Amino acid sequence: MSEAQPSSGASLRRYLDHPRGGPTVLRIVLGTQLRRLRETAGVTREAAGDAIRGSHAKISRLELGRVSCKERDVADLLTLYGVTDDTVRDDFLKLARRTSSPGWWHQYGDVLPGWFETHLGLEEAASVIRTYEVQFVPGLLQTADYARAVAQLGHPRSTPEEIDRRVRLRVQRQELLTLPDAPRVWAVLDEAALRRPLGGREVMAGQLRHLLTMSELPNVTLQIAPFSLGGLAAAGGPITILRFLEPDLPDIVYLKQLTSALYLDKRDDVDHYLAVMDRLSAQSESPRESLAMLERMLKEI
């Protein structure tokens, strides 16, 4: 038996017993375990590709969790890597089947870009979500009316029905915050995002009240980066860092762009953005003073 089999089996069993994060995270966990088995067995990516009638590029995508994988391919790789324990093999095959199951967001496929599906899966599995927003209130903290204004701004050619579906997707996504094992959300909002009356005065007033309500949740921390700071450590666009309890999942930095997103998990990249977020949090108003600012803004509307 391969030395990696006991630890691999334990890690897979945790996800089989307590699935969280949908197929996105399961693909990453499965790919990570298969990579470890391959490296322990001393098998090259080329040889692994040959075993499943594919290429080394296919193995690379599989090990990074970018694609789901067929049970037959997983079975062939386990044999190649010397995994003979029936229980461990069965766990791998069960997980492979689950990587092909659609997440709850699959029903919104017509209005959901593929690059954002990855974020939804990672978000659901995260234990800590740290985010900095420059232009908008973070999606997890938006009201339906505010989300509608954001959707209309970003998708001016969409039909009213498509806008409705985008809003429903965002509202359903927010259910994550009140689950028993909800992640901790630590959000830093640029004052500009709160001063810009997106959707009109009433919509913005409702959004500010909602932020005050959300801040009462034990797992939500809000800070405001005021205009008085001048330059900020994160000069540029929004940043989200996701942290996971599962040791097979590294911290991931999510950088949203206009029509795509970057996902960074290399240690140097993650450390850089963690340092940026730490400086932002240190420079911004305290959570208590940030709530006082929200209350003052609400009175000014």
Side-chain angles (χ1 to χ4, degrees):
M1 180 187 292
S2 166
E3 294 180 0
Q5 287 186 54
S7 61
S8 296
S11 182
L12 295 185
R13 177 54 53 189
R14 284 197 296 273
Y15 266 86
L16 289 170
D17 292 342
H18 304 286
R20 179 174 175 177
T24 303
V25 168
L26 298 183
R27 287 197 299 265
I28 295 174
V29 171
L30 178 62
T32 298
Q33 293 296 341
L34 288 173
R35 176 181 55 78
R36 289 178 178 173
L37 289 174
R38 178 180 61 76
E39 292 174 348
T40 298
V43 176
T44 65
R45 285 196 179 94
E46 288 75 12
D50 290 341
I52 61 171
R53 301 150 296 280
S55 64
H56 72 281
K58 180 178 179 179
I59 294 296
S60 179
R61 290 194 298 272
L62 190 156
E63 291 181 350
L64 290 171
R66 302 281 171 78
V67 295
S68 58
C69 44
K70 299 176 182 177
E71 287 183 64
R72 183 182 71 172
D73 289 344
V74 173
D76 289 344
L77 289 175
L78 293 175
T79 299
L80 178 65
Y81 302 155
V83 178
T84 57
D85 184 282
D86 288 338
T87 299
V88 175
R89 289 178 66 93
D90 187 54
D91 284 347
F92 268 95
L93 295 177
K94 284 180 181 176
L95 193 59
R97 285 195 292 273
R98 291 188 183 180
T99 65
S100 299
S101 301
W104 63 262
W105 49 85
H106 181 72
Q107 61 185 307
Y108 298 103
D110 57 321
V111 295
L112 181 63
W115 53 264
F116 193 62
E117 288 187 43
T118 300
H119 179 68
L120 291 177
L122 294 173
E123 191 175 71
E124 286 222 331
S127 60
V128 178
I129 301 171
R130 298 182 67 181
T131 186
Y132 168 66
E133 277 286 354
V134 184
Q135 186 174 5
F136 303 114
V137 170
L140 285 173
L141 303 175
Q142 293 178 4
T143 64
D145 288 339
Y146 184 93
R148 184 177 305 278
V150 172
Q152 290 171 337
L153 183 65
H155 305 276
R157 297 181 181 177
S158 291
T159 66
E161 292 75 17
E162 289 171 336
I163 294 296
D164 285 343
R165 287 180 58 72
R166 293 181 192 279
V167 174
R168 287 201 296 272
L169 168 63
R170 182 145 302 183
V171 171
Q172 187 169 349
R173 171 187 168 200
Q174 295 169 355
E175 295 175 5
L176 174 70
L177 295 182
T178 53
L179 294 176
D181 57 349
R184 180 188 173 195
V185 175
W186 185 355
V188 178
L189 287 70
D190 195 287
E191 184 175 351
L194 302 173
R195 294 289 185 185
R196 185 175 293 108
L198 189 63
R201 298 167 68 90
E202 289 187 11
V203 170
M204 204 63 211
Q207 179 61 67
L208 294 178
R209 284 192 291 268
H210 183 66
L211 288 174
L212 288 168
T213 299
M214 296 302 292
S215 69
E216 296 175 0
L217 293 176
N219 56 310
V220 175
T221 300
L222 297 180
Q223 289 185 269
I224 297 176
F227 289 140
S228 59
L229 281 180
L232 293 174
I239 301 169
T240 297
I241 303 175
L242 303 111
R243 174 160 290 177
F244 310 89
L245 293 176
E246 173 55 54
D248 287 336
L249 292 172
D251 291 352
I252 294 178
V253 176
Y254 167 73
L255 302 176
K256 185 179 182 301
Q257 300 175 329
L258 188 60
T259 58
S260 62
L262 293 177
Y263 294 90
L264 309 177
D265 61 3
K266 292 183 179 179
R267 189 70 257 171
D268 288 347
D269 291 333
V270 172
D271 286 346
H272 170 75
Y273 281 99
L274 281 171
V276 168
M277 289 296 293
D278 286 342
R279 290 199 299 274
L280 276 170
S281 298
Q283 293 172 334
S284 299
E285 298 290 354
S286 69
R288 176 175 295 183
E289 178 54 32
S290 295
L291 297 183
M293 284 186 67
L294 286 174
E295 291 172 346
R296 291 196 295 271
M297 290 179 191
L298 188 55
K299 290 177 181 179
E300 293 169 6
I301 291 180

